[in-house]
Amino acid sequence: MFNRLSEKLGDIAHKLRGAARVSEADLDATLREMRMALLEADVALPVTRHLMNEVRERALGAEVAKSLQPGQVIIKILNDALADLLGGQRRDLDLSKIPSVILLCGLQGAGKTTTAGKLARLLVSQGKKVALTSVDATRPAAREQLQVLAGQVDVPYIAGEGGSAAAMARSAVKQAGRDGHHVLILDTAGRQVVDDELMNEIRDVATAVGATERLLVLDAMTGQTALQIAEQFHSAVNMSGCILTKTDADVRGGAALSVAHSTGVPIRYVGTGEKVDAFELFDPQRMAGRILGQGDVVGLVEKI
Amino acid sequence: MSSFFSRLKNGLSRSRDALAQMVPGGSVDALSEEEWIDIEDGLIMADCGAELSGALVHKARKRRGGSIAALKESMISMLPEVAPVNEPAGGPFVLLVVGVNGTGKTTTIGKIATMFRQQGKSVLVGAADTFRAAAVEQLAVWVERAGADMVRQHEGADPAAVAFDTIKRGVARNYDVVIVDTAGRVQTDRGLMDELAKVRRVITKAYPEAPHEVWQVVDGGTGQNAVMQVEKFREVAGTSGLIVTKLDGSGKGGIVLQLSHKFGLPVRYVGVGETLEDLMEFNAEEFISSLLPDQSAD
Ligand SMILES: Nc1nc2c(ncn2[C@@H]2O[C@H](COP(=O)(O)OP(=O)(O)OP(=O)(O)O)[C@@H](O)[C@H]2O)c(=O)[nH]1
Ligand SMILES: Nc1nc2c(ncn2[C@@H]2O[C@H](COP(=O)(O)OP(=O)(O)OP(=O)(O)O)[C@@H](O)[C@H]2O)c(=O)[nH]1
Ligand SMILES: [Mg+2]
Ligand SMILES: [Mg+2]
């Protein structure tokens, strides 16, 4: 199943091999196969449509018609379109303010708390003085969980005080400033995007602390709804980026495209396991290869 | 029943609206080409899967001149008959709960324990997630809320040892229900999957008929990856039923159709929120209806 797309693409390339030119009908058939394959990789339907239009436009260009291997060229076009979409607007985290606040938000169970620990560890290794805080008053033992992680990566945990999440966040930021931390990573309770009350709460928290980075933590196994999730969090907190978790589950990762397409924000890191060091920079080319069902599309093209 | 329906309807209202919009006006039969395409798109966006959505619509259009009723029928027919839960003749009912990370296992155990307690049964819960930070503390809160008892060891203890202790104690003290919580793990992690297989083996060693049921918790927002999840967990842990969580959110749970159909697994419960009461018995008819426009729901 994992290799369905690369198989399909191989078939497509083979069928079109040596064709003098790609007919409109050939192209349509190819795009239909590609559409199915992308949907199987959990690329959201509107994003799939967008990509198919993109590939069609690019493919109708002269390049393909003249190519001896039009199938390969079309696959390459799709691969490039994916990588373009995933790789737009790359930049480092903005940590110029002291203290900088990094807000982590997302659905329940996405991996926010774990990611807070991972990110703290990474920033410490870059020479930053980092603290962690949680304003999750909902999930049982949520704050204990972050405290344990803080201990594992050897950074302080700051307990904010106040009646609301926004107040707790504000008090933690003050404390982080007093303690001379460069960065405060702010973990929040999980929430569903259809829950207006909690979406307002996250908006309040982001505003209250002027978070310089507002990162959506998204489970890479998420299906079609990733599009709506990204849109809603973007409209609530004006996301500055996204972190994709649980990519070690052999995910195809269509959700990444949903985020990139609907918000234009960069995907910065990926979670690759449960431990605090299972954290990597996001690589658009590699993710494009994953969505296409294999790591090296150029290699596939050369084999044909 | 009405409470299941209204709660779920509430949770799934967004998908209902989406589909309802696709079928404007009162008539739902004899739809136009565009309307069928819209319905197919709706099913895809609900994570039913592109191939399955296409096949369902195709089949529905061929039958009875093409109606939503036919579509609904073929969707319902994909879900297996739900056999009664495998309850023991004597001794405790032993339930093992498994699934990938963060799907809602621990929370669901809190809800299930509460349900059994409300039926007047004694419940013992084993904290076999000894790995994740504060996992035991989290479970302890739920167990206390439910009014159940718990077996725990230190962090980093062998999960199989915790499971063994739990079953032994459950049998010795004659509990009605024994539930074992396990750590989340991705289906691709060979080491952790082996560990889970061992947990299951040890449970059987401690009490030969156990576990009576192995329920796998699936997040309702999951896409096609869920198929691989269930395939692997069923192989390793012997999944006998599914629980689909977070149906109060934007995830529509359409993947359930494929999971139930492919693996012949019943969906036992659905999670519709984060409190003790947010657990509903699964009802195929009502679940499908809640995904379809109002006109065809009755
Ligand atoms: N395999 C794997 N597991 C992960 C990864 N990131 C997080 N997890 C696991 O996912 C589960 C949920 O993680 P949490 O950090 O508790 O998620 P959360 O978003 O804080 O959850 P809530 O606070 O309840 O909304 C835990 O079992 C984590 O160990 C990852 O990259 N890979
Ligand atoms: N909205 C909603 N949230 C839920 C539901 N079920 C569980 N959750 C939330 O999902 C998050 C993860 O739940 P847990 O019970 O910790 O999940 P788990 O599978 O035990 O996680 P790990 O042990 O880390 O693998 C928590 O924030 C829960 O409150 C549900 O039905 N609806
Ligand atoms: Mg958390
Ligand atoms: Mg758990």
Side-chain angles (χ1 to χ4, degrees):
Chain A
M1 178 175 151
F2 188 71
N3 286 317
R4 275 275 311 274
L5 182 53
S6 48
E7 264 166 39
K8 271 189 187 168
L9 294 179
D11 288 350
I12 293 169
H14 196 75
K15 245 188 267 171
L16 297 181
R17 186 180 188 178
R21 50 179 284 275
V22 178
S23 70
E24 193 98 3
D26 286 342
L27 185 59
D28 280 345
T30 307
L31 290 177
R32 262 200 305 279
E33 289 287 310
M34 282 186 169
R35 173 182 175 276
M36 285 301 272
L38 286 177
L39 289 171
E40 271 171 39
D42 291 321
V43 180
L45 185 60
V47 184
T48 302
R49 279 208 194 99
H50 164 84
L51 283 165
M52 291 303 94
N53 287 336
E54 187 94 3
V55 172
R56 165 180 286 279
E57 258 171 47
R58 294 195 200 179
L60 285 174
E63 254 164 290
V64 175
K66 286 198 205 108
S67 163
L68 282 176
Q69 308 249 294
Q72 295 183 11
V73 176
I74 295 178
I75 293 167
K76 177 102 179 28
I77 288 172
L78 176 59
N79 179 60
D80 291 349
L82 295 185
D84 285 354
L85 189 52
L86 291 169
Q89 290 189 22
R90 299 257 284 165
R91 59 175 179 80
D92 287 337
L93 293 177
D94 175 9
L95 303 176
S96 50
K97 208 170 129 194
I98 293 191
S100 289
V101 178
I102 303 178
L103 173 81
L104 300 182
C105 58
L107 301 193
Q108 286 95 346
K112 296 172 295 299
T113 306
T114 309
T115 301
K118 292 177 175 182
L119 191 56
R121 181 179 176 277
L122 179 79
L123 296 177
V124 165
S125 79
Q126 296 171 357
K128 300 280 184 196
K129 206 168 165 246
V130 184
L132 287 165
T133 191
S134 165
V135 297
D136 183 352
T138 313
R139 169 171 165 166
R143 284 172 283 186
E144 287 83 343
Q145 185 188 359
L146 189 60
Q147 276 164 21
V148 171
L149 286 161
Q152 282 176 16
V153 300
D154 203 17
V155 305
Y157 176 87
I158 294 178
E161 275 158 29
S164 67
M168 274 162 74
R170 248 193 318 260
S171 102
V173 174
K174 260 195 212 134
Q175 185 66 42
R178 279 197 294 270
D179 296 348
H181 293 292
H182 304 144
V183 181
L184 178 69
I185 299 172
L186 175 57
D187 182 23
T188 62
R191 64 203 72 228
Q192 296 291 336
V193 295
V194 295
D195 188 328
D196 292 338
E197 202 179 308
L198 288 181
M199 290 309 281
N200 284 332
E201 182 196 79
I202 196 75
R203 179 180 284 125
D204 290 346
V205 170
T207 324
V209 296
T212 42
E213 291 288 344
R214 299 155 309 277
L215 306 178
L216 172 68
V217 178
L218 184 71
D219 186 329
M221 295 181 264
T222 310
Q224 296 279 321
T225 183
L227 191 67
Q228 192 188 344
I229 293 167
E231 275 167 4
Q232 296 297 315
F233 273 102
H234 198 40
S235 100
V237 303
N238 186 24
M239 278 157 52
S240 62
C242 174
I243 296 175
L244 217 53
T245 60
K246 311 182 200 171
T247 61
D248 48 321
D250 218 5
V251 287
R252 295 288 297 280
L257 282 172
S258 299
V259 175
H261 175 80
S262 67
T263 66
V265 305
I267 296 165
R268 297 176 178 284
Y269 302 102
V270 293
T272 57
E274 296 176 56
K275 304 213 171 88
V276 285
D277 59 352
F279 199 51
E280 290 172 17
L281 267 180
F282 176 74
D283 179 342
Q285 268 301 340
R286 235 167 94 192
M287 186 55 79
R290 229 178 217 277
I291 293 168
L292 290 176
Q294 61 125 55
D296 180 10
V297 175
V298 178
L300 163 80
V301 166
E302 272 157 12
K303 259 189 283 169
I304 298 159
Chain B
M1 175 210 122
S2 64
S3 100
F4 168 85
F5 189 47
S6 56
R7 293 298 290 275
L8 193 57
K9 197 168 158 177
N10 225 340
L12 294 170
S13 63
R14 295 199 141 231
S15 44
R16 292 177 66 81
D17 291 351
L19 268 170
Q21 276 164 16
M22 288 163 193
V23 193
S27 164
V28 290
D29 281 8
L31 304 176
S32 71
E33 176 76 24
E34 286 84 68
E35 284 165 329
W36 278 115
I37 290 174
D38 285 347
I39 287 175
E40 185 178 333
D41 287 354
L43 292 175
I44 291 172
M45 286 190 280
D47 291 316
C48 293
E51 241 174 62
L52 176 62
S53 302
L56 279 170
V57 165
H58 180 76
K59 196 167 143 201
R61 290 184 72 172
K62 280 204 320 210
R63 280 167 61 196
R64 287 207 211 146
S67 69
I68 291 221
L71 174 65
K72 187 183 152 190
E73 239 171 66
S74 64
M75 286 167 82
I76 289 173
S77 72
M78 288 186 67
L79 299 168
E81 279 300 304
V82 178
V85 168
N86 176 27
E87 272 180 282
F93 166 63
V94 177
L95 169 65
L96 176 64
V97 179
V98 302
V100 301
N101 304 84
T103 52
K105 294 174 291 300
T106 304
T107 307
T108 302
I109 287 172
K111 296 173 183 176
I112 291 175
T114 303
M115 179 188 79
F116 282 125
R117 290 292 298 133
Q118 282 166 354
Q119 295 167 6
K121 294 181 173 152
S122 58
V123 178
L124 182 68
V125 181
D129 179 356
T130 57
F131 173 76
R132 216 213 51 225
V136 177
E137 287 72 16
Q138 181 194 6
L139 182 65
V141 172
W142 283 113
V143 166
E144 199 192 324
R145 285 180 187 169
D149 299 323
M150 177 160 151
V151 173
R152 61 191 285 180
Q153 291 185 8
H154 59 94
E155 207 176 299
D158 177 9
V162 179
F164 189 81
D165 271 9
T166 308
I167 306 304
K168 280 290 183 199
R169 187 177 317 174
V171 174
R173 309 233 172 129
N174 213 6
Y175 278 89
D176 298 315
V177 177
V178 178
I179 309 175
V180 178
D181 187 18
T182 59
R185 66 201 75 221
V186 292
Q187 72 278 5
T188 47
D189 190 320
R190 179 93 49 89
L192 290 179
M193 292 306 274
D194 286 349
E195 178 195 275
L196 185 61
K198 187 176 161 202
V199 167
R200 195 199 148 106
R201 273 199 310 275
V202 156
I203 289 176
T204 309
K205 206 166 134 196
Y207 184 39
E209 348 172 338
H212 301 93
E213 291 277 344
V214 180
W215 289 349
Q216 179 168 354
V217 180
V218 175
D219 186 321
T222 314
Q224 305 304 305
N225 190 266
V227 177
M228 259 194 285
Q229 288 174 21
V230 174
E231 194 173 346
K232 278 282 163 216
F233 275 87
R234 197 173 66 135
E235 195 182 303
V236 168
T239 300
S240 62
L242 303 172
I243 291 176
V244 184
T245 56
K246 309 182 196 176
L247 286 184
D248 52 317
S250 56
K252 295 162 183 88
I255 195 69
V256 168
L257 278 182
Q258 275 189 64
L259 297 179
S260 288
H261 185 63
K262 247 191 187 114
F263 304 107
L265 290 171
V267 181
R268 291 296 179 186
Y269 294 97
V270 298
V272 291
E274 296 186 83
T275 74
L276 282 175
E277 302 91 58
D278 294 321
L279 184 76
M280 305 282 139
E281 233 169 80
F282 182 77
N283 178 311
E285 174 94 26
E286 288 167 1
F287 176 72
I288 300 295
S289 289
S290 71
L291 284 165
L292 290 172
D294 272 328
Q295 296 93 317
S296 55
D298 354 87

